[in-house]
Amino acid sequence: MSFMYEANNYTSYTGKLGALYTTDETIFRLWAPTASKAYLNLYPDGDASKCEKKLEMTQIGNGAWEKTEHGNLDGVYYTYSVIIDGIENEAVDPYAKAAGVNGKRGMVVNLVLTNPDDWENDVSPSFSHPVDAILYELHIRDFSIDKNSGMENKGKYLAFTETGTISNEGLKTGVEHLAELGITHVHLLPSFDYCSVDERYPHKSYNWGYDPGNYNLPEGSYSTDPYNGHVRIKEFKQMIKNLHKNGLRVVMDVVYNHTGTTIESNFNKLVPGYYYRMDENGDFSDGAACDNETASERSMVRKFMVDSVVYWATEYNIDGFRFDLMGLHDIETMNAIRYALDEIDPSILLYGEGWTGGPTPLPEKRQALKKNTHMLDKRIAAFSDDIRDGIKGHVFKHKEPGFVNGNFKRKTDVMFGVAASCYHPQVDYQKLFYSKEPWAKEPSQTVTYASAHDNLTLWDKLKATCPKQSEAEYIKMNKLSALLVLTSQGISFIHAGEELARTKNGIDNSFISPDEINKLDWKRKKEYKSLFEYYKGLIALRKSQPLFRLQTAGEIEKSITFLPSDPHLLIYTINNSNQTLLVAVNADINACTITLPESGWNVLVNGECAGTTVIGRIDDTTLYMPPQTGFVLEKA
Ligand code: CA
């Protein structure tokens, strides 16, 4: 094997790294084992000023360097310079907790001064089991940037602190919209400091933010003052605090699998080559399809990732992490992250993309891939592309439909998703499009969804697959999709705006598209009121029915029974000793009548309405199913 995925010839340092602040002194500690000299550079600002002091650092063993500077350094900007093979490189501390504009210099910070009023009483809403989560994937800027958002701080963290905001049509927007919808967790697209958007002119460009610059501090373009390192931290905390106050937990999308720059990254300038996997030619391998991939299996990369998530969880009270391209991380590191966070709060959610962006030198058996999920802790989940594409069709083949839009061959994928990718005796694994066996040990390992920020929005996908159908039919299909996601076992996940029939005008990769494409368009809340109410009702139903949130694979196997039915129908029951629920979906464009297993049912969901109240009654065993309509019944 010539792959350079091992790097055992580097010494590891296990202590604290970064600028360790107290009011009397700051200890600067850097790991740079291949440097012959290291310097601390101090600056009066984070932008263009000249270096005020360049101080030589001292080796303290295990590849670490240290310099203690006396006095209160809060607000002092800094970088490190290292000399390696006679060449001097200046870089930002990868452990920097604050930075100036565009993250070009770190800043020493007294974090106490960044706490909003009453921060010490910030408490995450109560939450016990991962399958109780209903995630809502949201980009900070998209949330408020629409001129009709009713929020003043458009595109900013502070939009999440506004109360009583309404659209021109008089409907709730902002955080109160999220609370009204009933989701449990807001999952924020990258909100650590990323490279692409020029923080001096945030309106000139847009980016999702999958190009990490500084991992341990918030992105500046969402703050009201990106030049002052304190401001973004305080405003980020204000956002978290108000979300918590409104009953919403917060998940961060973290992108440790690659860095926004490669040769010029802070990691690479400080310890060239160490943080990245190389291919057999000695070039940067590119399993992330972003010019490089990090090497989580190396001790100091693993330590960095663990330290980083622990920092966000403790300093910012973050409640969960979504790992971009988790398949590029090694299983041991993902489990180490789980155990480290358990020391803080076992209810912190962990999930990620169980795939890579391309070939990687990391051996497949070590990759945190979907197929290897059984080797991860049972509280680390992977996204189910099986049900995602089963519901509405392939993400890359735009015209290929899924079950709700007429491709009934995808029915088995949906059944597999209903069972949260766990073993179920009635799922014929040979009929699945992707997986050929159950990949989740427990339902807490599957994230169930139909759409996300990547690829076409659900609404655009329905239109692309069924160009001859009507708007009314798209709404029906969208409702079926929502019904399937929110009644399936596992962790539920909704792309922000699905409940508003979100469109990006058919653009399937909007990562640099303008706000006009990416924004949440709040007038659609009025236009698609029935869809919004349907999502809201399904969410309330899911929260009220433990049978949709079974906690073990054993219960799923025992409690769910799929009833024999034609290809366009999906009918199953979930029962325990004192309750039976029946879910029935007719995905065909024609109506039909089905025979129920017993007589006497209360209707909780039909094609029009969803919720927790009984909206109809079936006394016999006959259920008439209009075209493209789903039902949830409860045995009376
Ligand atoms: Ca930035």
Side-chain angles (χ1 to χ4, degrees):
M1 287 285 284
S2 58
F3 289 144
M4 296 172 65
Y5 63 85
E6 297 290 359
N8 294 327
N9 52 338
Y10 290 80
T11 176
S12 296
Y13 182 77
T14 55
K16 281 192 173 180
L17 292 166
L20 311 175
Y21 170 88
T22 63
T23 50
D24 299 330
E25 64 178 26
T26 298
I27 301 167
F28 295 87
R29 204 178 287 149
L30 164 71
W31 183 73
T34 55
S36 57
K37 279 184 187 287
Y39 298 91
L40 166 68
N41 309 303
L42 299 179
Y43 297 90
D45 69 34
D47 198 3
S49 58
K50 286 205 175 122
C51 183
E52 258 180 355
K53 280 188 185 174
K54 182 170 182 172
L55 304 165
E56 189 161 355
M57 302 179 82
T58 309
Q59 283 183 297
I60 57 166
N62 297 100
W65 302 77
E66 194 172 281
K67 174 69 190 169
T68 300
E69 184 71 350
H70 295 285
N72 185 345
L73 269 64
D74 175 53
V76 172
Y77 291 82
Y78 74 105
T79 61
Y80 294 128
S81 294
V82 290
I83 296 177
I84 298 164
D85 296 334
I87 297 169
E88 183 167 328
N89 285 330
E90 185 177 3
V92 181
D93 182 359
Y95 276 82
K97 295 178 169 121
V101 68
N102 286 326
K104 299 293 186 197
R105 291 173 184 165
M107 189 191 90
V108 181
V109 60
N110 178 359
L111 287 162
V112 172
L113 299 179
T114 66
N115 291 344
D117 290 344
D118 206 30
W119 177 248
E120 62 279 9
N121 291 319
D122 176 64
V123 178
S124 299
S126 64
F127 179 75
S128 57
H129 197 278
V131 298
D132 296 340
I134 302 170
L135 308 163
Y136 186 87
E137 188 203 34
L138 179 63
H139 187 276
I140 287 170
R141 182 155 147 175
D142 298 352
F143 183 55
S144 56
I145 202 78
D146 178 16
K147 63 181 186 307
N148 185 25
S149 72
M151 289 171 260
E152 284 176 23
N153 295 282
K154 291 186 169 53
K156 304 297 182 192
Y157 299 122
L158 291 182
F160 289 82
T161 67
E162 297 183 36
T163 54
T165 63
I166 54 169
S167 64
N168 290 346
E169 295 76 27
L171 299 176
K172 283 180 185 170
T173 64
V175 168
E176 288 169 16
H177 168 81
L178 303 178
E180 182 187 12
L181 184 59
I183 50 138
T184 63
H185 290 64
V186 176
H187 153 157
L188 297 169
L189 258 71
S191 45
F192 52 80
D193 181 31
Y194 57 81
C195 302
S196 50
V197 171
D198 188 336
E199 297 175 2
R200 296 170 301 173
Y201 315 106
H203 289 291
K204 283 195 174 170
S205 61
Y206 175 96
N207 208 289
W208 283 342
Y210 291 93
D211 55 318
N214 293 295
Y215 284 102
N216 294 334
L217 58 104
E219 162 61 14
S221 66
Y222 304 139
S223 77
T224 59
D225 182 359
Y227 293 88
N228 178 340
H230 293 96
V231 174
R232 60 179 80 185
I233 301 174
K234 182 170 186 177
E235 292 178 348
F236 195 99
K237 288 177 174 175
Q238 288 176 273
M239 169 179 73
I240 301 290
K241 184 163 173 279
N242 198 45
L243 285 166
H244 283 166
K245 196 176 148 198
N246 280 273
L248 300 160
R249 287 192 158 219
V250 185
V251 174
M252 277 182 78
D253 191 338
V254 286
V255 188
Y256 298 110
N257 66 77
H258 71 278
T259 50
T261 54
T262 302
I263 300 270
E264 289 299 308
S265 76
N266 297 320
F267 281 155
N268 202 59
K269 283 196 279 193
L270 292 167
V271 195
Y274 176 80
Y275 288 91
Y276 299 93
R277 296 184 190 129
M278 299 290 168
D279 63 21
E280 55 263 68
N281 302 319
D283 298 322
F284 285 87
S285 103
D286 189 16
C290 294
D291 300 333
N292 65 73
E293 61 178 277
T294 53
S296 60
E297 68 280 10
R298 297 184 183 173
S299 60
M300 293 303 285
V301 184
R302 178 176 297 154
K303 171 180 164 57
F304 182 82
M305 290 171 63
V306 170
D307 288 349
S308 182
V309 293
V310 164
Y311 175 65
W312 284 104
T314 50
E315 183 62 31
Y316 290 89
N317 301 344
I318 294 292
D319 307 297
F321 298 92
R322 175 267 192 201
F323 290 82
D324 189 61
L325 300 181
M326 185 171 71
L328 285 177
H329 299 320
D330 67 300
I331 289 165
E332 194 180 339
T333 296
M334 289 308 303
N335 285 334
I337 287 171
R338 177 72 269 174
Y339 306 143
L341 290 171
D342 282 348
E343 297 291 314
I344 300 160
D345 177 1
S347 74
I348 290 173
L349 274 183
L350 294 183
Y351 55 99
E353 294 182 310
W355 48 77
T356 70
T360 168
L362 185 70
E364 189 177 278
K365 66 178 192 310
R366 295 185 68 181
Q367 298 173 28
L369 293 169
K370 183 182 76 169
K371 65 187 281 192
N372 291 336
T373 301
H374 61 94
M375 291 192 275
L376 292 166
D377 184 272
K378 69 181 182 185
R379 288 161 311 120
I380 301 175
F383 283 97
S384 171
D385 53 347
D386 303 278
I387 192 167
R388 178 195 69 194
D389 291 2
I391 286 176
K392 55 90 176 88
H394 198 282
V395 285
F396 298 126
K397 298 170 187 166
H398 289 180
K399 293 188 181 307
E400 187 182 297
F403 183 68
V404 304
N405 38 356
N407 180 2
F408 307 136
K409 288 187 181 146
R410 285 284 199 172
K411 176 173 169 175
T412 310
D413 293 294
V414 177
M415 291 168 65
F416 182 50
V418 165
S421 330
C422 297
Y423 171 72
H424 192 283
Q426 291 178 284
V427 174
D428 181 350
Y429 295 97
Q430 295 313 305
K431 288 187 179 168
L432 295 177
F433 276 60
Y434 306 148
S435 301
K436 293 299 171 200
E437 57 187 2
W439 50 262
K441 271 185 304 197
E442 298 290 354
S444 53
Q445 291 194 304
T446 290
V447 177
T448 304
Y449 71 128
S451 74
H453 70 279
D454 276 318
N455 314 117
L456 292 176
T457 68
L458 176 60
W459 186 256
D460 289 347
K461 173 71 177 176
L462 296 173
K463 289 177 82 167
T465 51
C466 305
K468 292 186 177 147
Q469 295 202 35
S470 67
E471 171 123 338
E473 287 169 309
Y474 301 142
I475 292 173
K476 286 182 175 187
M477 290 184 263
N478 195 324
K479 285 180 173 178
L480 285 188
S481 171
L483 188 156
L484 289 169
V485 167
L486 289 162
T487 55
S488 288
Q489 304 300 319
I491 298 168
S492 303
F493 173 105
I494 301 165
H495 179 220
E498 254 188 42
E499 77 282 15
L500 312 176
R502 183 173 183 177
T503 178
K504 295 181 189 171
N505 289 345
I507 292 171
D508 68 341
N509 185 5
S510 67
F511 80 108
I512 52 170
S513 296
D515 291 323
E516 203 48 41
I517 296 297
N518 279 301
K519 69 177 184 184
L520 282 190
D521 181 352
W522 289 98
K523 75 172 180 301
R524 294 171 83 87
K525 188 171 178 182
K526 179 78 182 294
E527 291 172 5
Y528 297 93
K529 189 88 178 17
S530 78
L531 187 62
F532 168 74
E533 294 294 340
Y534 205 75
Y535 271 89
K536 182 179 155 187
L538 287 167
I539 288 168
L541 177 67
R542 182 178 184 83
K543 286 161 109 176
S544 73
Q545 295 285 359
L547 284 179
F548 291 132
R549 296 176 281 115
L550 298 172
Q551 297 186 354
T552 67
E555 285 175 278
I556 289 173
E557 183 184 346
K558 193 175 69 191
S559 310
I560 293 182
T561 307
F562 293 98
L563 306 182
S565 61
D566 292 340
H568 64 275
L569 293 168
L570 175 68
I571 310 167
Y572 68 93
T573 57
I574 322 174
N575 70 292
N576 59 22
S577 54
N578 50 28
Q579 190 189 16
T580 300
L581 295 173
L582 183 143
V583 176
V585 168
N586 173 23
D588 198 18
I589 52 171
N590 298 304
C592 64
T593 300
I594 64 167
T595 302
L596 300 169
E598 293 174 72
S599 59
W601 300 85
N602 292 324
V603 180
L604 297 172
V605 176
N606 61 20
E608 305 299 319
C609 300
T612 54
T613 52
V614 176
I615 53 173
R617 166 124 190 125
I618 299 166
D619 292 322
D620 57 12
T621 59
T622 305
L623 176 63
Y624 170 75
M625 301 189 75
Q628 299 174 304
T629 297
F631 286 83
V632 177
L633 311 179
E634 184 179 28
K635 187 77 182 67

